[in-house]
Amino acid sequence: MIPKIILGTGPDATRRTIRYLFGKGRANEHIDPHLVASWNDFAPDPGRSPHRDPKEVEAQLAAQLDQPVKMLGDKAPKYTVWHCPVRAAPEDPILTDAQWAEIARRIVAAAGIAPEGDEEACRWVAVRHADDHIHIAATLVRQDGKRPKRDHDQRAVQREARKIEIDYGLRRLKPGDGTAAKRPTSKEHFKAKRLGQDAAARDVLRLWVRRAVAAAADEAEFFALLEATDVTVRLKLGPSGDALGCNFALPGDTNDKGEPVFYAGSTLAPDLSLPKIRERLATTSPQPATVPPGNPWHQATAATERIPHRLAHGNDHAAQGQLEALGAALDLMPVVAPVTVKADLERAAAVFERATRSRIAGDRDSARVLRRSMQAIWRDRPQDRDGAGFAMLLDTMLTAVAYAMHWHRTRQHAQQEAAAQQALVHLHTAYAQTAEPVLAGLAHRAPSLQMKHRYAHHFQEAVPEHAERILNDPAWDALATVLAEAEAAGHNAATVLDQALSQRTLDDAHSPARALTWRIRRLGERHVPSPLAQAANARSVTQRPTATAPAHTAAAVQSSQPSQGRRR
């Protein structure tokens, strides 16, 4: 159940609110509007007065609600109307008018608008015009002329909503910590629906602005990227002429007068105000310690691989910085992804956005490599032979997001945990579509049976607890291929395999052969030995064709805590 508080101001605020609640709506979405409850239980009901002009009854109702406000005259507060839509989830049972009336009474009591038993409380009404929601409208002056005590009313209403969900058997939402992005209003939802758009302008703008922050190296490039997407930016200037804030408008999103509808960055998300954006860009601006030259796919993958370790062993500030960098990387993934998985990756990025914010301040210094390597991928589009680079990166992101879910769970960040869990669903879908063609191509180049037998023997010696799963895994042929290719490049297959096994336990791997395929592919491509080293490796392979290594067991590396071997 989602309650949302909106404050109204102006001399005619109450009348405008009542007119809207009993009108047809902006897209004829209001069906049979009528009162289900009121402050005195006998307020005039424009929806149930068949023998009177509805407009006349609306005026009468607004006048009765407004009476305490009018009595104050010039001393009336700036905000005179408290408006709170309360919406049930689509899968919830349809509640009766009596049930909605009781819910309304609990909401206004929790908010301090009308505490139970307080006969001098604010006047209010609850209007229902759909099966799944009501609107509560109240005036913000008590009948004794005082102001209501509604400190932190949004939090109080949310807490009461969680109790209502339990009492009525409704879908139970996760408690928040006040760091969530502002949801689109009903007006914004209906506008998008009327225009045939899949998402409200607020949500689309948040995605575009986040993507520009993730891609930009500095503030100038950030604004240039938004300009390239036709987003209109309006800066808020201080007396000195310096920009203090910025507002964004989506192309084609206009009001009734044909003017652009602007959203302040801070209302798109708490971390999208101009000062917050500048803080984020400061961590990606060029510094003396830049990313070393190399394959940015490998660099991004290696940086992402380190995230689980830092979530498990780092302090909370560093961990939060890693989550922010992971979110920025996910923001850019749809841009560099194959067409077939763009939609799933956009959904993953959109929901994981909630998992990137908490009350913990992020230390972003340790996340520079991931940010810059993702920017290099986005900017330069480096060659990705057969799509393996993208698949490898996506594979490590799956693990990182799973660790993010656990990290939030241990800190009781319920909404963030749920967001990471949702993101995993979309990432798994994208990964399956991306990885399968790459693995099939590798399997098609599988080496001879003799070489496969040699590799199989090493697995049986090195990881006997996983050997059967690996050898019976559909990705076994692909794994054998990358081992053979590593050997052809001059590596010792046994050494590379042992390095891959030492990076992280296979205990929680859904497909151990697939996990090892990506690790060995990356190891085999990253450091090709010199000719002298290749000769030494060749002699080593000849002398020890079935070389063994210490067993890689679950005791060596705890499944929930990646080993130091992952650090590069």
Side-chain angles (χ1 to χ4, degrees):
M1 176 164 287
I2 304 174
K4 185 175 183 179
I5 295 173
I6 307 164
L7 300 181
T9 186
D12 199 27
T14 304
R15 181 67 184 272
R16 291 198 311 270
T17 302
I18 295 300
R19 187 185 305 129
Y20 167 74
L21 294 181
F22 285 94
K24 294 181 179 180
R26 293 178 173 84
N28 295 319
E29 70 275 11
H30 294 181
I31 302 171
D32 187 26
H34 60 280
L35 289 184
V36 295
S38 66
W39 78 96
N40 57 8
D41 290 329
F42 52 84
D45 184 354
R48 292 292 184 269
S49 303
H51 303 298
R52 297 180 60 188
D53 181 359
K55 299 298 181 184
E56 179 184 331
V57 184
E58 286 178 18
Q60 182 183 2
L61 176 60
Q64 289 190 19
L65 284 167
D66 242 357
Q67 187 177 10
V69 178
K70 298 300 184 185
M71 289 178 62
L72 291 182
D74 294 340
K75 296 182 180 180
K78 176 182 178 181
Y79 294 103
T80 57
V81 172
W82 187 89
H83 178 194
C84 181
V86 185
R87 186 179 299 273
E91 64 269 27
D92 285 339
I94 296 176
L95 303 176
T96 65
D97 280 0
Q99 289 173 316
W100 276 118
E102 176 58 26
I103 289 170
R105 293 186 183 96
R106 291 175 64 170
I107 292 293
V108 293
I113 295 295
E116 187 176 359
D118 187 348
E119 296 183 357
E120 298 297 322
C122 297
R123 297 184 175 188
W124 62 273
V125 294
V127 181
R128 181 180 188 177
H129 46 52
D131 286 339
D132 64 347
H133 72 280
I134 59 172
H135 289 254
I136 304 171
T139 43
L140 288 174
V141 175
R142 291 167 47 88
Q143 295 183 74
D144 57 10
K146 300 178 182 179
R147 310 284 177 85
K149 295 181 179 179
R150 56 180 194 88
D151 295 338
H152 307 295
D153 54 352
Q154 182 66 57
R155 295 184 189 177
V157 164
Q158 291 292 344
R159 285 195 298 269
E160 188 63 27
R162 303 294 80 80
K163 298 176 184 177
I164 291 170
E165 290 162 358
I166 296 171
D167 294 343
Y168 284 86
L170 307 177
R171 176 187 174 188
R172 297 177 64 178
L173 300 183
K174 304 292 184 181
D177 58 2
T179 62
K182 186 177 180 180
R183 295 174 180 270
T185 64
S186 297
K187 177 181 177 182
E188 292 167 1
H189 271 306
F190 289 128
K191 180 178 180 180
K193 184 178 180 180
R194 186 173 68 250
L195 297 176
Q197 297 168 346
D198 295 332
R202 180 188 301 276
D203 289 338
V204 177
L205 264 178
R206 182 166 55 248
L207 171 65
W208 288 12
V209 174
R210 279 181 59 86
R211 189 172 289 170
V213 174
D218 52 38
E219 188 173 335
E221 186 177 12
F222 165 71
F223 288 121
L225 289 172
L226 289 176
E227 184 180 350
T229 58
D230 292 329
V231 170
T232 303
V233 180
R234 185 173 63 189
L235 296 178
K236 179 182 178 182
L237 303 178
S240 64
D242 295 331
L244 304 179
C246 54
N247 300 295
F248 308 97
L250 204 60
D253 184 31
T254 58
N255 58 20
D256 296 339
K257 299 178 182 179
E259 301 167 335
V261 178
F262 282 95
Y263 296 84
S266 58
T267 66
L268 294 177
D271 54 352
L272 291 183
S273 66
L274 185 56
K276 294 289 186 182
I277 289 172
R278 283 170 170 165
E279 287 179 17
R280 184 81 64 86
L281 292 174
T283 67
T284 59
S285 298
Q287 297 287 334
T290 57
V291 176
N295 186 328
W297 290 108
H298 291 175
Q299 292 166 348
T301 301
T304 307
E305 276 188 323
R306 290 191 284 269
I307 292 177
H309 178 85
R310 284 169 172 159
L311 292 179
H313 300 289
N315 63 57
D316 281 359
H317 298 291
Q320 176 63 35
Q322 294 291 317
L323 293 179
E324 292 173 11
L326 179 58
L330 284 169
D331 286 335
L332 290 180
M333 284 293 277
V335 185
V336 299
V339 175
T340 53
V341 297
K342 283 184 182 294
D344 283 303
L345 289 174
E346 284 185 347
R347 295 186 192 101
V351 295
F352 191 76
E353 177 260 353
R354 179 68 189 98
T356 64
R357 286 193 306 277
S358 70
R359 290 288 180 184
I360 300 169
D363 178 359
R364 305 185 182 102
D365 284 343
S366 64
R368 290 178 185 270
V369 173
L370 177 56
R371 292 178 182 279
R372 292 177 186 166
S373 55
M374 285 302 303
Q375 289 173 346
I377 291 172
W378 168 80
R379 186 175 290 109
D380 303 329
R381 298 295 198 279
Q383 184 179 6
D384 180 18
R385 182 162 62 91
D386 65 19
F390 184 86
M392 286 189 286
L393 178 55
L394 198 52
D395 179 63
T396 57
M397 285 183 167
L398 276 167
T399 303
V401 171
Y403 268 72
M405 183 176 68
H406 176 73
W407 188 84
H408 283 305
R409 180 187 299 137
T410 58
R411 286 152 185 79
Q412 298 183 337
H413 300 164
Q415 289 186 356
Q416 292 90 331
E417 177 193 348
Q421 189 172 26
Q422 285 181 289
L424 274 177
V425 174
H426 299 300
L427 287 174
H428 272 296
T429 302
Y431 179 72
Q433 295 183 64
T434 303
E436 292 307 324
V438 179
L439 292 170
L442 290 171
H444 187 69
R445 307 196 301 271
S448 66
L449 286 175
Q450 182 180 3
M451 293 182 72
K452 289 170 66 175
H453 285 316
R454 177 158 56 88
Y455 301 148
H457 180 72
H458 187 79
F459 280 112
Q460 290 162 347
E461 291 287 325
V463 279
E465 70 276 19
H466 296 296
E468 184 176 355
R469 284 185 67 203
I470 291 171
L471 299 179
N472 292 321
D473 194 305
W476 163 237
D477 280 348
L479 174 53
T481 299
V482 294
L483 276 168
E485 289 179 348
E487 277 192 313
H491 293 279
N492 183 309
T495 302
V496 171
L497 180 55
D498 289 340
Q499 289 175 346
L501 289 170
S502 69
Q503 287 182 358
R504 186 169 178 269
T505 179
L506 297 172
D507 289 345
D508 57 357
H510 176 69
S511 168
R514 193 166 59 189
L516 287 172
T517 298
W518 303 134
R519 296 180 196 177
I520 292 168
R521 176 69 176 269
R522 198 159 58 252
L523 288 168
E525 291 185 353
R526 193 176 52 198
H527 298 301
V528 177
S530 66
L532 187 61
Q534 289 183 30
N537 285 339
R539 288 194 298 274
S540 174
V541 172
T542 303
Q543 295 167 5
R544 188 170 56 98
T546 57
T548 60
H552 179 81
T553 64
V557 186
Q558 294 295 323
S559 61
S560 62
Q561 298 181 353
S563 72
Q564 293 288 348
R566 288 173 62 84
R567 300 174 70 91
R568 293 183 176 83

